[in-house]
């Protein structure tokens, strides 16, 4: 994102027909998903990705995302410069004697999504949103992140396999230090004997989130995808913690939910506490999802907003624009450095909270037979009476 001023300049040109900069549209365009991967310094050019859709009659189609757009050169009437704009086009297939047409929608409900154009008997064309399994930018970034993380982990595994207990150095040494910190100081200290059981999942969560965060701060391919700023991604991660917590929860965990140790009138006849506890089962993963999404999305928005200020202040003259450029770039660099720290913190917080939720669900409690238990005073009196003072 450090080079956003240059990539955003192309976006400003795309909007020059209206002679105004739509900041909201610009921010969400850069943070949103897409069927192609933007090329740095040339915003209208995209790295094509596969589009896989199921048509209205059940037939499947696979084609390149470059077939849905083309570049048009238009002369700006205000500046006289020739500007390139990415324009949607219709991709047509002839299959089994029927014509199938797909394009990127401009409608409010399906904006920038692939739709099938279906002509009606009255000549009016309607849009149908097909079942979409396309490899979008975010999906491709997930694959890249997973491959990158697996490569790093397997490199550490190979090192220990070839060198025994010899400590790794440089990059692998730093990676091994983080693994030890997260496992021993967070997971094992919280879960105890259950650390080996849940450690692989929790370590995967930490490093997967951390890798997504750091890759998202890089504007050049394969970076630039705002994965943890996509609530669908954070929701899946939170749902996984929800599933692990409730599948492995022991009987004491479920007892506290359905029959907790509170006055009976809070449990029966109105199940007040049961309702609160069941509601809490869902609010915990919801908090994980929203916390990670909001923090990472907020960091990206701040950096892009600071960059957009350059073009907003450009209307006030060269002197003001120059000062705004220096200030915006300095603050953007500072925010990027801060985002690197936040990337670690948010990955750690997600892992820590997931560890705590799982720990509370699998925590063992000592069994007491309250029926045969005697008051402390009676026990002490019995012990005292048995002592021979002579």
């Amino acid at each position: 994102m450090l080079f956003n001023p240059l990539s955003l300049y192309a976006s400003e040109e795309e909007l020059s027909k209206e002679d105004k900069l739509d900041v909201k549209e610009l921010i969400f365009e850069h943070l949103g998903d897409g069927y192609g991967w933007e090329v740095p310094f040339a915003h209208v050019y995209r790295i094509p990705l596969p589009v896989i859709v199921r048509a209205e009659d059940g037939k499947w189609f696979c084609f390149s995302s470059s077939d849905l757009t083309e570049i048009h050169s238009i002369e700006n009437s205000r500046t006289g410069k020739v500007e390139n704009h990415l324009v949607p086009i219709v991709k047509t297939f002839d299959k089994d004697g029927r014509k199938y047409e797909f394009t990127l929608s401009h409608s409010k409900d399906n904006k920038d999504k692939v739709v099938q154009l279906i002509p009606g008997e009255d000549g009016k064309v309607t849009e149908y949103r097909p079942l979409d399994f396309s490899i979008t930018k975010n999906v491709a970034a997930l694959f890249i992140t997973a491959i990158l993380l697996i490569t790093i982990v397997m490199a550490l595994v190979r090192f220990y396999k070839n060198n025994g207990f010899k400590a790794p150095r440089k990059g692998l040494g730093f990676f091994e230090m983080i693994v030890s910190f997260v496992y021993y100081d967070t997971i094992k200290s919280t879960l105890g004997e259950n650390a080996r059981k849940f450690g692989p999942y929790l370590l995967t969560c930490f490093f997967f989130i951390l890798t997504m965060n750091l890759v998202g701060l890089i504007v050049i391919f394969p970076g630039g995808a705002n994965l943890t700023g996509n609530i669908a991604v954070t929701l899946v991660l939170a749902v996984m913690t929800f599933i692990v917590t409730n599948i492995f929860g022991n009987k004491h965990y479920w007892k506290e939910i359905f029959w907790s140790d509170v006055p009976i009138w809070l449990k029966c006849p109105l199940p007040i506490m049961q309702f609160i506890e069941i509601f809490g089962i869902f609010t915990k993963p919801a908090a994980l999802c929203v916390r990670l999404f909001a923090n990472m999305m907020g960091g990206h928005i701040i950096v892009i907003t600071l960059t957009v200020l350059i073009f907003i202040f450009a209307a006030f003259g060269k002197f003001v624009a120059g000062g705004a450029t220096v200030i915006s770039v300095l603050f953007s660099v500072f925010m990027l450095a801060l985002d690197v720290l936040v990337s670690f913190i948010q990955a750690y917080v997600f892992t820590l909270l997931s560890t705590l939720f799982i720990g509370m669900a699998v925590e063992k409690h000592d069994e007491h037979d309250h029926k045969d238990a005697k008051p402390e005073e009676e026990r002490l009196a019995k012990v005292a009476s048995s002592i021979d003072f002579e």
Side-chain angles (χ1 to χ4, degrees):
M1 296 177 68
L2 180 60
F3 298 99
N4 263 341
L6 294 175
S7 61
L8 288 173
Y9 181 69
S11 298
E12 186 189 25
E13 290 182 342
E14 291 176 12
L15 300 173
S16 61
K17 290 187 296 183
E18 301 176 3
D19 290 336
K20 67 176 182 178
L21 191 64
D22 190 338
V23 177
K24 178 182 176 181
E25 183 71 20
L26 187 59
I27 289 175
F28 285 99
E29 178 187 354
H30 281 264
L31 295 181
D33 201 359
Y35 290 95
W37 208 307
E38 297 90 347
V39 176
F41 317 115
H43 189 65
V44 294
Y45 296 98
R46 308 289 172 94
I47 299 173
L49 296 170
V51 178
I52 307 169
V53 292
R54 182 177 182 270
E56 176 260 344
D57 61 356
K59 290 185 172 60
W60 289 90
F61 296 88
C62 180
F63 53 94
S64 172
S65 61
S66 60
D67 295 335
L68 293 173
T69 56
E70 64 181 14
I71 299 174
H72 285 185
S73 298
I74 303 174
E75 183 178 350
N76 190 309
S77 58
R78 183 172 61 87
T79 63
K81 295 181 179 179
V82 176
E83 301 168 351
N84 293 325
H85 299 270
L86 203 61
V87 179
I89 59 174
V90 176
K91 174 65 176 178
T92 304
F93 292 93
D94 289 317
K95 191 172 184 179
D96 299 332
R98 180 180 173 183
K99 179 183 286 187
Y100 297 86
E101 296 181 332
F102 299 95
T103 189
L104 294 176
S105 175
H106 281 294
S107 65
K108 183 178 180 180
D109 295 334
N110 301 316
K111 184 173 176 57
D112 297 328
K113 302 295 183 182
V114 174
V115 293
Q116 181 184 357
L117 301 178
I118 302 177
E121 296 180 357
D122 56 354
K124 186 179 180 180
V125 177
T126 58
E127 291 184 354
Y128 169 76
R129 179 74 190 280
L131 192 61
D132 195 342
F133 286 92
S134 303
I135 307 299
T136 62
K137 182 175 73 171
N138 282 350
V139 175
L142 282 172
F143 290 149
I144 293 171
T145 301
I147 293 171
L148 179 61
L149 183 56
I150 291 172
T151 302
I152 297 173
V153 172
M154 294 309 297
L156 186 60
V157 171
R158 285 194 301 270
F159 178 88
Y160 278 115
K161 185 177 180 180
N162 297 331
N163 299 278
F165 290 101
K166 183 180 178 181
R169 297 179 179 274
K170 298 180 181 180
L172 285 181
F174 180 71
F175 182 74
E176 194 267 348
M177 180 189 70
I178 299 177
V179 173
S180 298
F181 167 72
V182 175
Y183 182 76
Y184 289 105
D185 293 352
T186 302
I187 299 174
K188 190 171 181 61
S189 63
T190 303
L191 297 180
E193 62 183 18
N194 290 312
R196 291 178 63 86
K197 182 177 183 180
F198 299 102
Y201 165 71
L202 294 168
L203 284 170
T204 301
C205 282
F206 175 81
F207 285 105
F208 191 56
I209 293 172
L210 177 61
T211 307
M212 287 191 294
N213 291 345
L214 295 178
V215 170
L217 297 177
I218 306 171
V219 69
I220 331 173
F221 180 84
N226 183 30
L227 290 176
T228 45
N230 185 326
I231 199 168
V233 175
T234 60
L235 176 62
V236 171
L237 293 170
V239 167
M240 293 304 298
T241 295
F242 170 80
I243 292 173
V244 172
T245 301
N246 291 283
I247 284 182
F248 292 97
N250 56 31
K251 61 181 182 180
H252 298 284
Y253 169 75
W254 291 107
K255 175 184 175 297
E256 287 299 317
I257 292 175
F258 292 105
W259 200 257
S260 55
D261 294 330
V262 295
I264 190 67
W265 59 271
L266 290 174
K267 300 180 288 188
C268 182
L270 294 177
I272 299 174
M273 285 305 300
Q274 289 90 329
F275 174 79
I276 294 174
E277 293 291 343
I278 292 174
F279 184 71
I281 293 177
F282 297 97
T283 55
K284 291 175 183 177
L288 286 177
C289 168
V290 174
R291 178 184 287 106
L292 180 59
F293 161 74
N295 281 282
M296 297 313 301
M297 171 68 86
H300 287 272
I301 289 178
I302 290 173
V303 174
I304 295 179
T305 303
L306 288 171
T307 306
V308 171
L309 288 176
I310 298 173
F311 306 103
I312 294 177
F313 282 104
F316 295 94
K318 294 182 180 180
F319 179 77
V320 176
T325 300
V326 174
I327 295 173
S328 295
V329 170
L330 290 176
F331 270 101
S332 296
V333 173
F334 170 75
M335 286 303 304
L336 280 171
L338 186 61
D339 275 344
V340 173
L341 177 61
V342 171
S343 297
F344 280 89
I345 292 174
Q346 290 305 315
Y348 180 75
V349 168
F350 187 98
T351 306
L352 175 62
L353 292 177
S354 296
T355 304
L356 292 175
F357 295 156
I358 294 172
M360 289 187 292
V362 301
E363 181 183 5
K364 292 184 178 180
H365 295 259
D366 294 332
E367 296 289 345
H368 296 284
D369 188 0
H370 297 285
K371 183 178 180 179
D372 298 330
K374 295 181 179 297
E376 186 68 13
E377 294 82 3
E378 293 182 8
R379 187 184 68 81
L380 292 174
K382 184 178 180 180
V383 171
S385 63
S386 63
I387 297 177
D388 186 3
F389 292 99
E390 296 180 357

